[in-house]
PDB file of all heavy atoms in Angstrom:
ATOM      1  N   ARG A 150       3.608 -30.501 -53.509  1.00 74.00           N
ATOM      2  CA  ARG A 150       3.760 -29.923 -54.846  1.00 74.00           C
ATOM      3  C   ARG A 150       2.406 -29.759 -55.542  1.00 74.00           C
ATOM      4  O   ARG A 150       2.220 -28.839 -56.334  1.00 74.00           O
ATOM      5  CB  ARG A 150       4.663 -30.830 -55.698  1.00 74.00           C
ATOM      6  CG  ARG A 150       6.116 -30.850 -55.261  1.00 74.00           C
ATOM      7  CD  ARG A 150       7.000 -31.489 -56.329  1.00 74.00           C
ATOM      8  NE  ARG A 150       6.621 -32.888 -56.571  1.00 74.00           N
ATOM      9  CZ  ARG A 150       7.175 -33.922 -55.923  1.00 74.00           C
ATOM     10  NH1 ARG A 150       8.121 -33.695 -55.016  1.00 74.00           N
ATOM     11  NH2 ARG A 150       6.817 -35.146 -56.199  1.00 74.00           N
ATOM     12  N   ILE A 226     -23.091 -26.605 -53.592  1.00 95.00           N
ATOM     13  CA  ILE A 226     -22.733 -26.902 -54.974  1.00 95.00           C
ATOM     14  C   ILE A 226     -23.243 -28.275 -55.382  1.00 95.00           C
ATOM     15  O   ILE A 226     -23.794 -28.460 -56.479  1.00 95.00           O
ATOM     16  CB  ILE A 226     -21.215 -26.802 -55.168  1.00 95.00           C
ATOM     17  CG1 ILE A 226     -20.752 -25.346 -55.014  1.00 95.00           C
ATOM     18  CG2 ILE A 226     -20.796 -27.351 -56.532  1.00 95.00           C
ATOM     19  CD1 ILE A 226     -19.251 -25.174 -55.073  1.00 95.00           C
ATOM     20  N   VAL A 316     -72.016 -39.008 -43.706  1.00 92.00           N
ATOM     21  CA  VAL A 316     -70.555 -38.997 -43.834  1.00 92.00           C
ATOM     22  C   VAL A 316     -70.064 -40.292 -44.460  1.00 92.00           C
ATOM     23  O   VAL A 316     -69.167 -40.297 -45.312  1.00 92.00           O
ATOM     24  CB  VAL A 316     -69.899 -38.767 -42.456  1.00 92.00           C
ATOM     25  CG1 VAL A 316     -68.385 -38.813 -42.565  1.00 92.00           C
ATOM     26  CG2 VAL A 316     -70.359 -37.452 -41.850  1.00 92.00           C
ATOM     27  N   ARG A 343     -59.829 -37.887 -56.313  1.00 93.00           N
ATOM     28  CA  ARG A 343     -61.187 -38.429 -56.125  1.00 93.00           C
ATOM     29  C   ARG A 343     -61.060 -39.884 -55.629  1.00 93.00           C
ATOM     30  O   ARG A 343     -59.963 -40.462 -55.646  1.00 93.00           O
ATOM     31  CB  ARG A 343     -61.978 -38.417 -57.433  1.00 93.00           C
ATOM     32  CG  ARG A 343     -61.398 -39.287 -58.534  1.00 93.00           C
ATOM     33  CD  ARG A 343     -62.193 -39.178 -59.837  1.00 93.00           C
ATOM     34  NE  ARG A 343     -61.629 -40.047 -60.878  1.00 93.00           N
ATOM     35  CZ  ARG A 343     -60.615 -39.725 -61.647  1.00 93.00           C
ATOM     36  NH1 ARG A 343     -60.024 -38.535 -61.523  1.00 93.00           N
ATOM     37  NH2 ARG A 343     -60.156 -40.557 -62.570  1.00 93.00           N
ATOM     38  N   GLN A 432     -44.424 -47.190 -44.324  1.00 91.00           N
ATOM     39  CA  GLN A 432     -42.991 -47.353 -44.095  1.00 91.00           C
ATOM     40  C   GLN A 432     -42.227 -46.593 -45.163  1.00 91.00           C
ATOM     41  O   GLN A 432     -42.715 -46.397 -46.265  1.00 91.00           O
ATOM     42  CB  GLN A 432     -42.572 -48.823 -44.152  1.00 91.00           C
ATOM     43  CG  GLN A 432     -43.053 -49.677 -42.986  1.00 91.00           C
ATOM     44  CD  GLN A 432     -42.627 -51.126 -43.146  1.00 91.00           C
ATOM     45  OE1 GLN A 432     -42.739 -51.706 -44.233  1.00 91.00           O
ATOM     46  NE2 GLN A 432     -42.127 -51.720 -42.076  1.00 91.00           N
ATOM     47  N   VAL A 469     -77.530 -30.477 -45.284  1.00 75.00           N
ATOM     48  CA  VAL A 469     -78.341 -29.263 -45.391  1.00 75.00           C
ATOM     49  C   VAL A 469     -79.406 -29.422 -46.471  1.00 75.00           C
ATOM     50  O   VAL A 469     -80.576 -29.039 -46.283  1.00 75.00           O
ATOM     51  CB  VAL A 469     -77.429 -28.053 -45.666  1.00 75.00           C
ATOM     52  CG1 VAL A 469     -78.269 -26.826 -46.028  1.00 75.00           C
ATOM     53  CG2 VAL A 469     -76.564 -27.745 -44.446  1.00 75.00           C
TER      54      VAL A 469
END
Side-chain angles (χ1 to χ4, degrees):
R150 291 193 298 268
I226 292 176
V316 178
R343 64 182 181 277
Q432 289 178 315
V469 170

